[in-house]
Amino acid sequence: MHIVELKLVRIVELLIGIPFGIGGFIIGATYPLLVITGLHHTYTMIETSLLANTGFNPVITLCAMYGFANVGTCLAFLAKAKKENVRQTAVGAMLSQLFGISEPVLFGIQIRYNLRPLVIMLCSSGLGAALLSILNIRSNSYGLAVLPSYLMYIYEGRQLLWYFIVSLISVTLCFTLTYMFGIPQEVLETDDAGSHDGNDADYIETDHGQISVRINSPLTGKAVPMTEVPDDTFAAQVLGKGMAVLPSEGKVVAPCEAEVTTVFDTKHAIGLTTKEGVELLIHIGINTVELGGKYYEVHVAEGDQVRPGQLLVTFDIAKIQNAGYNLTTPVIVTNTDDYKTVEGMASGTVKFMDSFVKVEN
């Protein structure tokens, strides 16, 4: 194991040593992809070894520009988006990112909106890391991100000054490029309830024009209020309101007629958009992105039109739990702020297609 560790450290050192900041760009641009797949934890071993052998940790320095670029993404959406729910998502995601929690930005904005914001963030993170590599900036610690990360450079004035300057460049670059090229048309339009054909059994429009959509349960198990989900991001409803299920059967079905809008490479989450425009994220388990797709099988593809009760995902409950993961599964209305109310309808045991969440406008 020690031999493998030394080899990995050597590879990273060689990358960092590639001239003109090329190695720094590679590390800075690829690190966010490792976060999405959960593989970024492998860097901890490398950073620990670097600190033990050299007293410095240039890896966290290069990776940290990812967090600052994410802040730029949030600021761009906050400044340009017209939809109030998108602006609120951007504020919540930015506040989380300032203290090192990046999932709300990744899943709530960058992956959700046609991947253009993600590509811009990767380039901004890579360019910021390249500058730091050229300047030979390196921390003397690890584990701190965005605002707290400045503490890792107070040991020398030059290090702190250049790290501060490059971090601002990363924020500004990502903000500018996202503002100009990364904001999708759908968030530039003002809030509008849209039109409905009235043929969906889960859709009701009253005489007073009130819209009510019922979302059925995509799982069988125990209903869990979102505020009780054992994860701070979900419990704080940063990504939206909804409910969760602690599953007793390892499959997820379509809760209603919908389009599959997102299938994560790690198979642990799937996004749907109903006929009425309700956007759903079904996230199977807590931190299960770290499994990299093990014990999951997806049965649909992005763009598929699915009918109520159609099988979407199967997963091995026993193996996932034995790997140390909680399988509480949030079902989130990610465009919550488009609606007047989003509230749970279930308690105790729920079965597939039981009434689960009610959305009203």
Side-chain angles (χ1 to χ4, degrees):
M1 185 64 184
H2 184 61
I3 294 175
V4 173
E5 177 182 335
L6 291 176
K7 292 290 186 183
L8 288 173
V9 171
R10 183 56 182 156
I11 290 172
V12 172
E13 288 177 335
L14 289 173
L15 276 177
I16 295 172
I18 298 176
F20 311 114
I22 295 173
F25 180 88
I26 293 171
I27 293 175
T30 58
Y31 180 74
L33 302 178
L34 298 181
V35 174
I36 294 173
T37 59
L39 295 176
H40 62 296
H41 294 293
T42 59
Y43 270 33
T44 302
M45 175 183 65
I46 298 171
E47 292 172 37
T48 302
S49 181
L50 285 169
L51 282 168
N53 292 317
T54 69
F56 294 100
N57 179 11
V59 174
I60 192 66
T61 302
L62 304 178
C63 296
M65 291 304 101
Y66 151 62
F68 288 103
N70 277 346
V71 172
T73 296
C74 295
L75 288 173
F77 272 78
L78 178 62
K80 195 170 186 179
K82 296 294 189 293
K83 287 185 176 291
E84 185 60 27
N85 70 302
V86 176
R87 292 166 56 84
Q88 292 182 6
T89 297
V91 170
M94 183 173 64
L95 292 176
S96 297
Q97 180 60 80
L98 286 174
F99 294 94
I101 302 174
S102 61
E103 285 79 6
V105 188
L106 277 171
F107 300 124
I109 297 178
Q110 291 164 343
I111 292 177
R112 178 179 174 184
Y113 292 112
N114 300 321
L115 298 181
R116 279 188 298 172
L118 177 66
V119 173
I120 292 171
M121 179 273 290
L122 295 177
C123 293
S124 301
S125 175
L127 289 171
L131 285 174
L132 291 171
S133 179
I134 292 171
L135 294 166
N136 194 32
I137 305 302
R138 50 188 185 171
S139 81
N140 65 352
S141 180
Y142 66 92
L144 301 178
V146 194
L147 288 184
S149 70
Y150 293 112
L151 296 173
M152 299 188 294
Y153 304 91
I154 59 176
Y155 71 92
E156 184 183 321
R158 174 187 173 276
Q159 296 279 328
L160 178 60
L161 177 61
W162 278 114
Y163 182 79
F164 176 74
I165 291 172
V166 175
S167 68
L168 290 184
I169 291 173
S170 298
V171 173
T172 304
L173 178 63
C174 193
F175 168 82
T176 303
L177 293 177
T178 303
Y179 189 93
M180 295 176 62
F181 307 111
I183 308 294
Q185 184 62 36
E186 64 186 278
V187 307
L188 297 177
E189 301 170 356
T190 56
D191 293 320
D192 187 358
S195 60
H196 301 271
D197 59 16
N199 293 325
D200 194 329
D202 294 331
Y203 164 74
I204 301 172
E205 186 166 357
T206 68
D207 293 337
H208 302 289
Q210 184 183 42
I211 297 169
S212 179
V213 180
R214 185 186 74 220
I215 305 299
N216 298 321
S217 175
L219 301 105
T220 287
K222 178 184 177 183
V224 179
M226 190 66 73
T227 54
E228 296 179 14
V229 173
D231 178 272
D232 291 341
T233 298
F234 292 128
Q237 302 182 100
V238 172
L239 299 182
K241 297 181 179 180
M243 282 201 73
V245 178
L246 182 59
S248 58
E249 187 172 342
K251 67 178 182 179
V252 177
V253 303
C256 54
E257 187 173 350
E259 178 183 354
V260 179
T261 50
T262 307
V263 176
F264 290 82
D265 291 340
T266 48
K267 306 177 185 178
H268 74 293
I270 190 167
L272 305 173
T273 300
T274 74
K275 287 176 58 179
E276 297 76 31
V278 180
E279 298 172 2
L280 301 174
L281 174 66
I282 304 172
H283 193 286
I284 309 166
I286 306 300
N287 294 324
T288 46
V289 62
E290 298 171 359
L291 290 170
K294 288 175 61 178
Y295 315 133
Y296 291 88
E297 187 65 38
V298 177
H299 301 274
V300 291
E302 290 183 5
D304 284 358
Q305 302 292 326
V306 294
R307 61 187 184 278
Q310 181 175 338
L311 183 63
L312 303 179
V313 183
T314 52
F315 54 97
D316 193 314
I317 291 178
K319 289 182 179 179
I320 295 172
Q321 289 178 334
N322 288 339
Y325 294 91
N326 187 308
L327 265 171
T328 301
T329 299
V331 180
I332 306 166
V333 178
T334 55
N335 59 339
T336 287
D337 291 318
D338 285 349
Y339 301 96
K340 183 177 179 181
T341 60
V342 175
E343 59 183 21
M345 302 175 66
S347 61
T349 300
V350 293
K351 297 181 180 179
F352 296 116
M353 306 309 292
D354 282 354
S355 295
F356 194 56
V357 173
K358 181 170 66 175
V359 177
E360 291 185 345
N361 196 358

